[in-house]
Amino acid sequence: MIKVKDIYDYINEISPYDTQCDWDNCGLLVGDMDKEVKKIGVCLDGTLETVKSACENNADLIVSHHPVIFAAQKSFTKGNVAYEAASKGISIVSAHTCLDCAEGGVNDVLCEILGIENAEGVPADDCKVPMARIGDVSEASIEEFSKTVSEKLSTVCRFVKGKKAVKRVAVCGGSAFDFFFIAVKMGADTYITGEVKHHELLIAKDMGINLIVAGHYETEKPVMEKLQKLLSDRFPEAEVVHLSETNPVEFAGR
């Protein structure tokens, strides 16, 4: 019999919870370690939509990337995601920055998809282990490479044009401009992340570095397919499904 603790422990093996950033909240966030699990639902975001999908699929456990509980909360009432899951007997395990950092995690999957070769970690003072990755691609213009990223991630990228062609590329999914300066010191001529602030676009422009903004959802979603397969392979007696979820961002003209 598979229990929530078995899945919790396996995720800790492949993306150790103790590598999460200090501000993060990974691990078992809702439910019971001893609850039996026959069906697992994976998703990027723990939302009312994914809890509904878990109910429709009779899932006992949700494994999400983004935590359903981030900051301290004073109440858990009807309509709150954690409350809705708990009231229906569904446990939730979240693997956020620990999965970003993990070997084979969010950023290694991005490197695979985008053809970034010889990738290595980008160290940072506020990370226990490297989160961002840096590696090499076949030389291309920023216009060509941005189009490739858009196609590979099924999105529409925005970009800042730097002074060089794209060759040495750093990447970090989500909202991750924090690693930009370290990546540049490591030789990056191009930096890819999910979202940035306006003044960060200006910084890249002034420094002459290509910056590609590919979407928070779009840069993190790809890892979920791999996580689903890993869980299926490790727990063949349990069914693992990808819960229904939609990108909260829509694109005019698409």
Side-chain angles (χ1 to χ4, degrees):
M1 180 176 70
I2 302 171
K3 295 184 177 182
V4 169
K5 188 177 188 306
D6 297 316
I7 288 87
Y8 170 92
D9 287 343
Y10 175 65
I11 292 174
N12 190 43
E13 288 177 23
I14 62 175
S15 57
Y17 302 121
D18 63 6
T19 63
Q20 69 182 287
C21 296
D22 292 339
W23 47 263
D24 204 5
N25 190 29
C26 301
L28 178 66
L29 305 188
V30 175
D32 179 359
M33 284 287 197
D34 292 324
K35 179 179 172 62
E36 182 179 3
V37 176
K38 294 181 179 178
K39 199 166 190 178
I40 305 166
V42 300
C43 59
L44 183 67
D45 297 298
T47 63
L48 294 175
E49 179 185 10
T50 50
V51 170
K52 179 182 178 182
S53 180
C55 290
E56 292 171 347
N57 282 278
N58 296 313
D60 307 292
L61 171 68
I62 292 174
V63 177
S64 72
H65 179 48
H66 291 130
V68 294
I69 303 171
F70 239 140
Q73 292 184 237
K74 293 186 177 181
S75 65
F76 289 86
T77 56
K78 185 175 175 62
N80 173 273
V81 176
Y83 171 86
E84 293 296 335
S87 67
K88 294 169 176 64
I90 299 171
S91 299
I92 302 178
V93 171
S94 298
H96 188 210
T97 51
C98 58
L99 187 60
D100 289 321
C101 296
E103 183 177 343
V106 170
N107 294 306
D108 284 339
V109 168
L110 282 175
C111 286
E112 293 171 16
I113 292 172
L114 301 178
I116 300 172
E117 300 180 339
N118 304 315
E120 59 180 304
V122 177
D125 292 339
D126 57 351
C127 288
K128 300 177 181 71
V129 295
M131 185 181 297
R133 302 290 190 263
I134 186 170
D136 305 309
V137 298
S138 298
E139 186 170 331
S141 69
I142 183 61
E143 293 86 357
E144 293 169 333
F145 192 66
S146 293
K147 184 178 179 181
T148 297
V149 175
S150 295
E151 291 172 350
K152 295 288 188 181
L153 298 182
S154 300
T155 187
V156 177
C157 292
R158 297 181 295 146
F159 68 87
V160 170
K161 186 173 183 176
K163 296 178 180 178
K164 298 180 180 179
V166 178
K167 191 171 182 181
R168 183 77 170 158
V169 178
V171 61
C172 193
S175 179
F177 193 78
D178 294 351
F179 311 107
F180 174 84
F181 297 102
I182 303 168
V184 171
K185 286 183 180 179
M186 294 178 69
D189 51 60
T190 304
Y191 190 79
I192 305 170
T193 190
E195 59 180 316
V196 299
K197 297 177 181 177
H198 181 70
H199 76 274
E200 294 167 339
L201 298 169
L202 298 177
I203 289 170
K205 185 70 174 178
D206 287 344
M207 291 178 64
I209 304 297
N210 301 307
L211 175 61
I212 297 176
V213 185
H216 197 127
Y217 180 94
E218 292 86 350
T219 54
E220 294 186 329
K221 179 72 171 176
V223 77
M224 302 314 297
E225 182 178 344
K226 181 171 183 179
L227 184 58
Q228 181 181 3
K229 185 178 186 309
L230 288 171
L231 288 167
S232 294
D233 290 346
R234 177 63 180 81
F235 301 101
E237 61 270 54
E239 185 178 357
V240 185
V241 298
H242 201 130
L243 298 177
S244 174
E245 61 180 329
T246 53
N247 189 343
V249 176
E250 297 186 40
F251 297 87
R254 286 185 65 187

